[in-house]
Amino acid sequence: MQFLGTWLVTALATMAAIGVVPGITAVGGSYGGPIMCALALAFVNSFIKPIADFLSFPLTLVTFGLFSLVINALMLQLAGGISVGIFGSGIAIDSFGSAFLGAIVISIASTIIYKVMGF
């Protein structure tokens, strides 16, 4: 049940990023795209992000944690590519700058949605 709640929150936050950030568009429908991207993002954050965090730890330490924003943007781009490639629906990201802003928006929107929903 926890997974479904997290999936819903991430999908809503992805919808917010699509609406706010220029350069991020839904592929495969305005609802289906964010839902499939949220699923791919859950996979990427569970399996690939820990490895990326471990490998980039020295750089993250030197930049006082700011490099983790770059890692989040790269994971969002990867999740967008995986969701469109595998599911045929997800998000298309035009540039790294769009991915960077999108990752920030998704993080902030997820936090707000979690607080409002009481998770």
Side-chain angles (χ1 to χ4, degrees), residues 24-114:
I24 298 180
T25 55
V27 175
S30 59
Y31 295 111
I35 289 171
M36 290 298 112
C37 181
L39 181 63
L41 197 55
F43 170 77
V44 166
N45 284 340
S46 294
F47 296 106
I48 299 171
K49 189 171 186 243
I51 297 167
D53 284 340
F54 177 76
L55 293 175
S56 68
F57 179 72
L59 192 54
T60 303
L61 190 64
V62 168
T63 61
F64 300 110
L66 291 178
F67 192 72
S68 63
L69 296 173
V70 173
I71 297 295
N72 287 343
L74 293 172
M75 296 302 114
L76 181 61
Q77 278 190 317
L78 181 62
I82 288 173
S83 63
V84 171
I86 292 177
F87 305 123
S89 129
I91 61 172
I93 302 172
D94 291 339
S95 66
F96 179 77
S98 296
F100 189 81
L101 290 176
I104 292 172
V105 169
I106 289 173
S107 296
I108 293 170
S110 294
T111 302
I112 292 170
I113 294 167
Y114 274 120

